[in-house]
Amino acid sequence: MALKKQAAKKRPAVRRLINEGIEILQGFGVPLAGLTDRRRDMASMCFLAVAGVTHSADWSSAGSHPSPPLRTREIIDFINKHFGEQVSRGSYDDIRRKHLKFAVLAGVIQQSAGNPGAAANDPTRGYGLSPEHSAIINLYGQEGWGKKAAQFMATRPHLSDSVFAKQSVMAMPLVLPNGSELKLGPGSHNALQRSIIEQFRPRFAPNTTVLYLGDAENKELYMEATTLASIGIELNVAKSLPDVVLLDSHRKWLFLIEAVHSFGPISPERLVSLNELCKECNVPRVFVTAFLDRTTFRKFAPDIAWETDVWIAEEPDHMIHFNGDRFFGPRESS
């Protein structure tokens, strides 16, 4: 319980940095979607320790410091010092077996030792970033990073593909308003997307058409390509769209909804990015960040942009309006 309390009290800058680490790992196909919040945060903090990153401005130099690879107890020391944790040094084996496991299997983090064939419990074994991945990590924060990461991964296997293929029997069916049946993968993020369609939509966006829905592992799970093109949204930006896009033809509103479980609310920076992606779109836009519960919302509340809205699935009849000049609805682009 102490660890959970510690994780919930992260400073906004630390919370943002951990979320950035999660985004990078998932961009490299590391399967984090099915993990608990705590496991996902620990995987990110261990990755940050190996990369030597303590601030969001450090990504351009990640992995470039001429220091020896970190051993598991040194990783614990790093995250305790920089991220406000209180992890016991005696839990070093959890670092290797639980929190570094997927990043190592995906090739993002490399194991190294004086003897390349050293046993897992060799005290000289340390962890460092893969030089290939470091080159892409150093670009994080620049415009188009997601596209660069996707290009990098295009010819490489995605560990998440094989992991979630084994979990396909757990896929959650979702029937869209037009009768189309989709299979959402496992995990809280996709459960939230289902809630957006089944609970948010009938309450706050009735009679809307689902134009886009991206599964955590398949960003183009469902897409109404013709309609998106007709309202001025280019199909080559689909991977940068929010998780759910709804079109209200009667009110002439376009709902852009981010489903946030571990990272990615509509922050001021994301709001600018979304407006840029939709600059040719002729339909006024409503921006909504959706959360499963208040606990998750509280983590991200400092990052929410003004003139956007928040919906919490556990209290589906209410919304939180970070309103500017009006209560709810699209606003004129400046």
Side-chain angles (χ1 to χ4, degrees), residues 103-161:
V104 170
L105 289 174
V108 180
I109 292 176
Q110 294 181 337
Q111 303 179 63
S112 60
N115 174 8
N121 60 356
D122 188 317
T124 68
R125 181 181 292 276
Y127 295 87
L129 285 185
S130 153
E132 283 186 329
H133 290 78
S134 290
I136 305 300
I137 293 169
N138 294 157
L139 302 176
Y140 184 80
Q142 298 181 17
E143 184 176 354
W145 183 86
K147 184 176 181 180
K148 291 183 177 68
Q151 290 172 341
F152 174 80
M153 293 299 297
T155 58
R156 292 171 169 82
H158 287 235
L159 180 63
S160 55
D161 290 343

Side-chain angles (χ1 to χ4, degrees), residues 219-242:
K219 294 301 183 182
E220 297 181 11
L221 178 66
Y222 182 84
M223 183 165 56
E224 288 284 351
T226 301
T227 306
L228 283 168
S230 72
I231 63 173
I233 296 180
E234 297 181 23
L235 301 186
N236 61 5
V237 302
K239 291 184 178 178
S240 298
L241 285 172

